[in-house]
């Protein structure tokens, strides 16, 4: 990869951050995909269309979703070059467009959630409860009770939650703000944890010089699952977010309300949760539809 390529990638990522509000994780993914493509082709910004046509062969062993993501990053990069007058053409038409299917979320039963909270309750029964168990309680209550993303959770400011306000306002993916309801249980768990947070910490979940990392959160959830007798590979912070959405929908939540709480820009993303509710929908038609109470004619 040439020095010009590195400079243009930097300019592209600055634009994505400033104009489109791309998150640090998104920017890192773009940089990885662009530098990887440059390594394959030898150059990036001035790569001919024929060089891009060779990429599918290099990506042949990758999943369709991964190929689609890499191709999307390159399309955005070449569109940026064209808009800035840095290329006379846009060669991205040569990139593949693999057909992808949105994967269904892992489903976690309410019984499994109960087992997680039973382990936490057992630990909190100690007198006094351990500091790290109070932290774990607050984390899991917010994950399952509010459907926060892992990054949103670990980076919460110390004063994000207020004792007299049953919600918080988050800036999530793409810089979009949303209102997130916070249950009484979660507020109580956070209040208990706050007593152990240093007064000068800007973070609700501090760790070292920054906040708790997503990787450490992931490890904590896996460890909790093992203690509850649940296979750790079935659970992650994101699976708890899925459980929040799935169980709300099963309880009768409106899909649009769920979209707002999860912070999905597209209702299509929220609709992946409707697959888990098919049995309830059938029961709903059989019990609530006007025809259900009518005697069939012979």
């Amino acid at each position: 990869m040439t020095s010009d390529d590195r400079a243009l990638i930097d300019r592209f990522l600055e634009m994505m951050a400033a104009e489109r509000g791309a998150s640090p994780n998104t920017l890192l993914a773009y940089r990885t995909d662009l530098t990887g493509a440059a390594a394959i082709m030898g150059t990036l910004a001035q790569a001919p269309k024929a060089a891009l046509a060779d990429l599918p062969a290099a990506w042949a062993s990758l999943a369709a979703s991964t190929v689609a993501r890499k191709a999307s990053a390159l399309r955005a990069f070449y569109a940026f070059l064209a808009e800035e007058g840095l290329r006379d053409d846009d060669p991205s038409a040569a990139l593949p467009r693999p057909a992808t299917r949105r994967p269904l979320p892992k489903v976690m039963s309410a019984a499994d959630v109960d087992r997680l909270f039973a382990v936490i309750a057992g630990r909190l029964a100690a007198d006094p409860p351990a500091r790290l168990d109070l932290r774990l309680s607050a984390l899991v209550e917010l994950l399952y009770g509010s459907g926060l993303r892992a990054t949103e959770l670990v980076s919460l400011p110390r004063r994000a939650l207020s004792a007299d306000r049953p919600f918080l306002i988050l800036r999530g993916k793409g810089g979009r703000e949303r209102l997130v309801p916070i249950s009484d249980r979660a507020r109580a768990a956070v209040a208990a944890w706050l007593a152990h947070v240093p007064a000068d910490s800007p973070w609700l979940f501090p760790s070292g010089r920054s906040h708790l990392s997503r990787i450490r959160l992931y490890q904590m959830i896996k460890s909790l699952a093992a203690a509850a007798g649940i296979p750790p590979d079935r659970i992650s912070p994101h699976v708890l977010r899925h459980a929040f959405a799935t169980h709300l929908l099963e309880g009768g939540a409106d899909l649009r309300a769920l979209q707002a709480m999860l912070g999905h820009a597209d209702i299509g993303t929220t609709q992946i949760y409707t697959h888990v509710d098919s049995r309830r929908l059938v029961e709903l038609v059989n019990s609530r539809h006007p025809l259900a109470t009518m005697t069939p004619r012979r």
Side-chain angles (χ1 to χ4, degrees):
M1 185 170 65
T2 67
S3 58
D4 286 343
D5 286 336
R6 292 189 184 91
L8 289 172
I9 289 174
D10 288 341
R11 285 180 58 182
F12 167 68
L13 296 178
E14 288 174 5
M15 179 277 294
M16 291 294 293
E19 297 183 13
R20 304 188 187 179
S23 70
N25 291 333
T26 299
L27 297 176
L28 179 60
Y30 270 116
R31 185 181 294 278
T32 300
D33 290 337
L34 293 175
T35 54
I40 294 171
M41 298 187 292
T43 183
L44 186 68
Q46 300 305 320
K49 194 172 183 178
L52 271 71
D54 293 336
L55 287 174
W59 294 341
S61 62
L62 302 177
S65 58
T66 303
V67 173
R69 191 200 70 226
K70 291 179 177 293
S72 177
L74 286 169
R75 287 192 188 91
F77 178 70
Y78 288 119
F80 165 75
L81 295 183
E83 289 172 4
E84 295 291 310
L86 300 171
R87 271 195 78 132
D88 296 329
D89 67 324
D90 184 346
S92 59
L95 292 168
R97 293 182 178 273
T100 59
R101 294 175 57 188
R102 188 184 298 277
L104 295 177
K106 290 184 179 180
V107 179
M108 187 177 179
S109 69
D112 283 342
V113 174
D114 288 342
R115 290 161 71 183
L116 293 181
F117 280 108
V119 171
I120 293 174
R123 295 179 182 179
L124 295 183
D127 188 18
R131 174 179 176 274
L132 293 184
D133 288 333
L134 290 171
R135 182 180 69 172
L136 180 63
S137 174
L139 287 165
V140 177
E141 288 285 357
L142 288 170
L143 270 176
Y144 178 67
S146 300
L148 299 182
R149 296 181 177 95
T151 300
E152 294 169 343
L153 175 62
V154 297
S155 61
L156 281 175
R158 176 190 174 91
R159 301 185 182 280
L161 278 72
S162 174
D164 60 349
R165 189 178 64 189
F167 64 88
L168 59 85
I169 298 175
L170 280 181
R171 187 179 296 274
K173 281 189 175 181
R176 294 183 296 272
E177 286 191 345
R178 76 180 192 275
L179 185 148
V180 179
I182 305 296
S183 69
D184 292 341
R185 281 179 52 127
R187 282 191 291 158
V190 169
W193 161 242
L194 263 175
H196 298 268
V197 178
D200 59 348
S201 170
W203 310 108
L204 180 57
F205 299 106
S207 179
R209 296 183 179 181
S210 184
H211 55 68
L212 187 72
S213 70
R214 291 186 308 155
I215 293 175
R216 182 65 189 121
L217 175 64
Y218 184 93
Q219 293 169 340
M220 292 163 64
I221 297 301
K222 295 288 186 183
S223 177
L224 176 62
I230 301 170
D233 60 350
R234 287 175 44 200
I235 298 181
S236 69
H238 208 63
V239 171
L240 281 170
R241 172 174 157 87
H242 286 320
F244 161 81
T246 301
H247 298 164
L248 268 182
L249 195 64
E250 289 177 345
D254 175 78
L255 200 60
R256 286 290 182 186
L258 191 59
Q259 177 192 6
M261 286 186 282
L262 291 172
H264 290 160
D266 183 0
I267 189 68
T269 306
T270 317
Q271 286 174 333
I272 63 174
Y273 295 102
T274 59
H275 81 286
V276 301
D277 212 20
S278 57
R279 181 169 55 84
R280 177 179 170 274
L281 293 178
V282 172
E283 293 174 354
L284 187 64
V285 170
N286 287 335
S287 62
R288 302 292 181 84
H289 194 281
L291 291 178
T293 60
M294 295 176 63
T295 304
R297 294 182 179 181
R298 295 187 179 278

